[in-house]
């Protein structure tokens, strides 16, 4: 059926005697050769609906090609009764020819036909051939524009005085590998009812220049711990035998919200990749080609392997802190240990070891998984040193130490001065003045119930986002070497709407603070 934006003519006419015959455009959907002339006719039998329309006049019909009106100079009449149009030198790929009538002020489509054109074959280009040892010799080419259904491609291989051929309706076409053993001349012939055309001749001087080997086997990648490199290894393809092989290693990773891709070459079955970011997933694959002075014919890529890049131990610190709660009636204290170490996604360490050492040198070791970042312990009134290390195969890579003062001990180092807190736009802002003893840094921790957060800073102010309706207990502690100074504690809400009646009113307003003595100062 033809497509048109015009409605079909539908006029009911009562004809006495016999059935109404169909009026339509002929020939129906013809196929012609490029450049041929074609005549399209509209037939309206005497007892058809069209011929019984009072305004029907064969000489007043008009024609369109692809919705564009055809010049009337091309209109003709066959036997003075059949209107037609003659289109000369038809070179379009296809064309819809429609016949129209005007009834009153409306235009109706009486019928149409779709003309398809057979073009001569297009010269094949970009001919190349690939040898898979002991399996096949396959040639590929670009066919160019579609020449419709009847084009057949014949690949000819001339070795000495002998010619071998294979035939196909499209690229590629394969010979048995044993048919091509030496230098050869290859060409492709495209043939159809409209003619034939040959490609340029491809001369193969060395059959091994076409060999496509299999992909490298057993590709593996591993991070080199305490380094900034990945080591990639693989096995040489079995079908490359003793022939030297050139390899390409393709790897990709995500960094800073962007995707990065790289390709490196290697003449050995291993490669070291300098990583761009620690603890980042790399996707790696390898391919190979026989190595000589010809253009490489690359194998398929090996299956992807994925690996996490190693940790940069030279730029990483392990930070340990503790939150000491008030002693109970027996003098025992709950201590919340917190640390910031290696992201668990790095898969770089086996775990953490925390050592609790009392003043009498009695020690207690506790082991934690790489994903752990906190622990709760109970100690008596004695003073303790806490040491944490990150380890891998018994080798220590990071460590940090803090102290838990005795229950009644007061630190000899001064607290910060003029600590203040206020809330604005859902954030809690803390500021203070540096004490006279010039600490190396400050530790700020905050909690709402059992939810602890903390940050070490060298500034004298910090801000964090708080949850509404929660009262935050905030502690600022100066750090002198490995020894903490006295703490300053403040209370605050992130929003004024979170006023707790149990908290004195003077703590609610911006710019106010409540400082109290820490447990270690008792």
């Amino acid at each position: 059926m033809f497509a048109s934006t015009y409605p079909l003519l539908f006029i009911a006419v009562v004809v006495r005697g016999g059935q109404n015959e169909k009026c339509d455009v002929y020939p129906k959907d013809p196929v012609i050769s490029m450049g041929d002339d074609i005549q399209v006719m509209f037939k309206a039998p005497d007892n058809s609906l069209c011929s019984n329309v009072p305004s029907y006049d064969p000489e007043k019909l008009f024609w369109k090609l692809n919705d564009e009106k055809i010049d009337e100079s091309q209109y003709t009449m066959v036997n003075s009764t059949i209107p037609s149009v003659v289109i000369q030198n038809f070179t379009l790929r296809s064309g819809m020819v429609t016949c129209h009538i005007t009834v009153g002020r409306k235009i109706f489509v009486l019928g149409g036909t779709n003309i398809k054109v057979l073009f001569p074959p297009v010269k094949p280009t970009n001919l190349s051939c690939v040898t898979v040892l002991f399996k096949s010799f396959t040639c590929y080419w670009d066919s160019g524009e579609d020449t419709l259904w009847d084009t057949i491609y014949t690949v000819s291989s001339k070795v000495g005085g002998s010619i071998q051929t294979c035939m196909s309706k499209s690229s590629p076409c394969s010979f048995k590998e044993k048919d091509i053993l030496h230098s050869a001349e290859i060409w492709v012939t495209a043939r159809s009812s409209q003619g034939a055309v040959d490609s340029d001749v491809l001369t193969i001087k060395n059959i091994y220049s076409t060999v496509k080997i299999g992909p490298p086997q057993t590709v593996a990648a591993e991070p080199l711990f305490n380094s900034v490199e990945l080591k990639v290894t693989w096995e040489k393809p079995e079908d490359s035998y003793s022939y030297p092989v050139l390899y390409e290693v393709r790897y990709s990773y995500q960094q800073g919200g962007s995707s990065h891709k790289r390709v490196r070459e290697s003449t050995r079955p291993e490669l070291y990749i300098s990583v761009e970011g620690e603890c980042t997933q790399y996707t790696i694959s390898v391919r190979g080609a026989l190595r000589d002075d010809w253009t490489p014919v690359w194998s398929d890529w090996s299956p992807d392997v994925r690996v996490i890049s190693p940790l940069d131990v030279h730029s990483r610190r392990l930070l340990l802190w503790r939150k000491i709660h008030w002693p109970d009636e027996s003098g025992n204290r709950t201590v919340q240990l917190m640390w910031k170490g290696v992201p668990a996604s790095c898969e770089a360490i086996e775990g953490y070891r925390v050592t609790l050492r009392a003043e009498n040198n009695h020690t207690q070791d506790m082991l934690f998984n790489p994903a752990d970042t906190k622990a709760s312990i109970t100690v008596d009134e004695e003073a303790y040193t806490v040491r944490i290390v990150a380890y891998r195969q018994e080798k220590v890579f990071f460590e940090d130490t803090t102290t838990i003062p005795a229950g009644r001990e007061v630190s000899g180092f001064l607290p910060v001065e003029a600590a203040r807190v206020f809330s604005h736009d859902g954030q809690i802002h803390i500021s203070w003045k540096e004490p006279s003893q010039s600490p190396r840094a400050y530790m700020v921790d905050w909690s709402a119930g059992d939810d602890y957060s903390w940050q070490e800073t060298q500034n004298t102010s910090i801000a964090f986002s708080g949850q509404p309706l929660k009262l935050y207990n905030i502690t600022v502690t100066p750090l002198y070497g490995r020894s903490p100074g006295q703490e300053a504690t403040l209370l605050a809400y992130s929003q004024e709407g979170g006023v707790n009646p149990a908290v004195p009113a003077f703590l609610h307003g911006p710019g106010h603070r409540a400082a109290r003595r820490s447990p270690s100062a008792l």
Side-chain angles (χ1 to χ4, degrees):
M1 294 295 292
F2 59 87
S4 175
T5 58
Y6 298 98
L8 288 174
L9 174 64
F10 182 78
I11 303 175
V13 177
V14 177
V15 179
R16 297 179 181 179
Q19 295 181 346
N20 293 332
E21 296 185 26
K22 184 180 180 181
C23 49
D24 205 349
V25 171
Y26 300 92
K28 191 55 79 174
D29 300 334
V31 177
I32 64 174
S33 298
M34 182 187 69
D36 283 355
D37 299 341
I38 183 169
Q39 184 177 31
V40 179
M41 297 171 287
F42 178 73
K43 295 181 180 180
D46 291 340
N47 59 346
S48 67
L49 291 177
C50 300
S51 60
N52 284 279
V53 175
S55 60
Y56 176 76
D57 184 348
E59 295 186 354
K60 292 185 179 181
L61 304 183
F62 63 93
W63 300 86
K64 288 188 177 184
L65 172 60
N66 292 338
D67 228 17
E68 294 289 334
K69 186 176 180 181
I70 301 174
D71 191 274
E72 294 182 4
S73 62
Q74 298 175 242
Y75 298 177
T76 62
M77 296 293 294
V78 179
N79 296 330
S80 303
T81 60
I82 299 175
S84 71
V85 63
V86 177
I87 304 174
Q88 297 178 333
N89 191 25
F90 202 107
T91 58
L92 299 175
R93 286 273 165 191
S94 63
M96 174 64 71
V97 178
T98 50
C99 183
H100 302 257
I101 187 173
T102 301
V103 179
R105 295 185 178 182
K106 295 184 178 180
I107 297 175
F108 296 91
V109 179
L110 297 177
T113 186
N114 187 30
I115 303 171
K116 295 183 179 180
V117 179
L118 286 173
F119 276 68
V122 177
K123 178 180 178 179
T125 58
N126 297 327
L127 176 61
S128 64
C129 300
V130 170
T131 301
V132 178
L133 291 176
F134 309 117
K135 292 184 179 180
S136 65
F137 179 81
T138 302
C139 293
Y140 303 81
W141 63 91
D142 291 340
S143 301
E145 295 182 276
D146 183 18
T147 56
L148 294 182
W149 318 281
D150 63 344
T151 302
I152 297 295
Y153 297 90
T154 302
V155 181
S156 301
S157 172
K158 183 178 180 181
V159 179
S162 174
I163 296 180
Q164 302 286 339
T165 62
C166 72
M167 301 178 68
S168 173
K169 291 185 177 181
S170 61
S171 173
C173 194
S174 296
F175 298 83
K176 291 183 179 179
E177 191 272 336
K178 62 184 181 64
D179 293 336
I180 308 293
L181 296 176
H182 307 285
S183 59
E185 293 181 345
I186 313 290
W187 67 93
V188 182
T189 302
R191 180 175 285 104
S192 74
S193 61
Q194 306 303 301
V197 61
D198 292 335
S199 70
D200 293 335
V201 175
L202 172 67
T203 301
I204 299 174
K205 296 181 179 180
N206 185 336
I207 193 63
Y208 283 97
S209 66
T210 70
V211 170
K212 179 180 179 180
I213 59 178
Q217 304 296 308
T218 320
V219 179
E222 61 176 330
L224 299 181
F225 196 72
N226 203 20
S227 176
V228 289
E229 290 183 313
L230 296 173
K231 182 180 181 181
V232 185
T233 58
W234 56 90
E235 293 182 2
K236 187 177 181 181
E238 293 180 357
D239 54 3
S240 62
Y241 304 99
S242 59
Y243 217 91
V245 177
L246 176 66
Y247 301 99
E248 281 191 344
V249 179
R250 179 181 65 184
Y251 58 95
S252 62
Y253 59 94
Q254 294 280 341
Q255 188 179 57
S258 300
S259 179
H260 301 268
K261 295 182 179 181
R262 303 283 190 273
V263 176
R264 295 265 308 277
E265 286 190 354
S266 176
T267 57
R268 301 173 55 196
E270 68 175 14
L271 183 71
Y272 291 85
I273 298 174
S274 296
V275 299
E276 302 295 331
E278 62 178 1
C279 304
T280 301
Q281 179 173 277
Y282 279 67
T283 301
I284 302 170
S285 57
V286 186
R287 68 178 182 178
L290 295 187
R291 177 162 54 97
D292 214 313
D293 55 0
W294 52 67
T295 301
V297 179
W298 292 106
S299 71
D300 296 331
W301 290 100
S302 69
D304 289 339
V305 296
R306 291 175 174 81
V307 63
I308 302 297
S309 61
L311 187 72
D312 184 2
V313 297
H314 304 292
S315 62
R316 176 71 61 171
R317 282 185 62 196
L318 180 57
L319 300 176
L320 174 65
W321 186 237
R322 79 290 187 275
K323 182 77 172 180
I324 306 171
H325 294 275
W326 296 94
D328 60 17
E329 295 178 353
S330 302
N332 293 326
R333 297 166 293 167
T334 298
V335 179
Q336 185 76 30
L337 297 180
M338 302 170 279
W339 59 89
K340 296 179 181 179
V342 179
S345 61
C346 280
E347 302 176 2
I349 63 171
E350 295 179 14
Y352 298 99
R353 182 171 61 248
V354 174
T355 301
L356 188 65
R357 182 183 296 275
E359 286 188 323
N360 61 7
N361 288 328
H362 174 74
T363 61
Q364 176 186 353
D365 285 339
M366 294 166 281
L367 297 180
F368 298 93
N369 294 321
D372 294 331
T373 58
K374 62 183 179 180
S376 182
I377 63 174
T378 301
V379 298
D380 54 23
E381 295 181 325
E382 299 300 318
Y384 290 87
T385 299
V386 184
R387 178 175 179 255
I388 185 171
V389 301
Y391 66 91
R392 180 185 178 93
Q393 298 177 349
E394 298 304 318
K395 185 175 182 180
V396 173
F397 290 94
F398 312 100
E399 67 174 289
D400 196 18
T401 304
T402 189
T403 59
I404 301 174
R408 300 292 177 178
E409 180 182 347
V410 177
S411 172
F413 294 101
L414 296 175
V416 297
E417 299 179 359
R420 297 172 60 85
V421 61
F422 70 93
S423 302
H424 181 68
D425 288 340
Q427 284 201 318
I428 296 176
H429 299 258
I430 309 104
S431 62
W432 59 90
K433 291 184 179 180
E434 179 180 337
S436 59
Q437 292 172 310
S438 299
R440 66 171 179 83
Y442 304 92
M443 189 68 72
V444 181
D445 62 70
W446 57 94
S447 62
D450 294 330
D451 183 18
Y452 291 92
S453 300
W454 59 289
Q455 182 174 334
E456 181 179 307
T457 179
Q458 293 183 333
N459 299 323
T460 56
S461 64
I462 193 174
F464 65 89
S465 297
Q467 298 183 33
L469 307 181
K470 285 192 175 182
L471 177 65
Y472 283 86
N473 185 309
I474 306 163
T475 301
V476 182
T477 308
L479 302 177
Y480 301 89
R482 293 186 177 276
S483 300
Q486 299 178 42
E487 300 173 351
T489 302
L490 306 99
L491 301 173
Y493 286 99
S494 63
Q495 293 182 8
E496 293 300 320
V499 173
N500 188 332
V503 180
F506 72 87
L507 295 179
H508 297 158
H512 295 287
R513 67 180 178 89
R516 65 185 184 191
R517 299 171 67 192
S518 68
S520 60
L522 297 176

